[in-house]
Amino acid sequence: MIVLAAVGFWPTPVDKPVQGTLGAILRYLHGNGVPGWFDYHFVEASANVAMFVPLGILSSMAFPARSAWQLAGIGLLVSICMEGVQLLLIAARFSSIIDVVTNTAGALIGIGAVRLVAQVAARTSGCRGPTKVR
């Protein structure tokens, strides 16, 4: 969560130091057959999703009795707070509804992953393997 706060409240765009390198990598990839839709916006959206997956995992593990939608609300609220601070207090940052959507999607993925692992674990622990019939 410290990483999430650091990225969310960093005073300048966190990708600024690597924009040139990222642009060069994307040009190389596009020149070698990677489709054009795999661009900066796709990478940024994917990073936003990935950044919130741990929040979904942690909230799902901390509150296992809550529904997935209630837990997604945590991701949504955290994202809205981050974007609000960026909009109101950090002039060099850009607030975006798309960021709220991708962040919340990342939290949902984390929640879904924990739920899926729990279901698989429950099924496999209930299996005793083949039994002999006499």
Side-chain angles (χ1 to χ4, degrees), residues 10-57:
W10 200 255
T12 60
V14 292
D15 60 348
K16 188 175 183 178
V18 297
Q19 279 182 344
T21 304
L22 180 58
I25 291 169
L26 289 171
R27 282 189 298 279
Y28 173 80
L29 292 173
H30 293 151
N32 287 286
V34 173
W37 57 261
F38 190 90
D39 59 3
Y40 172 80
H41 298 292
F42 179 82
V43 172
E44 179 189 24
S46 298
N48 283 340
V49 170
M51 185 172 65
F52 268 70
V53 169
L55 178 66
I57 291 170

Side-chain angles (χ1 to χ4, degrees), residues 83-108:
E83 296 297 317
V85 167
Q86 289 176 9
L87 176 68
L88 299 172
L89 302 176
I90 308 174
R93 297 294 299 266
F94 305 100
S95 183
S96 164
I97 289 293
I98 298 298
D99 288 355
V100 172
V101 171
T102 54
N103 293 345
T104 306
L108 273 168

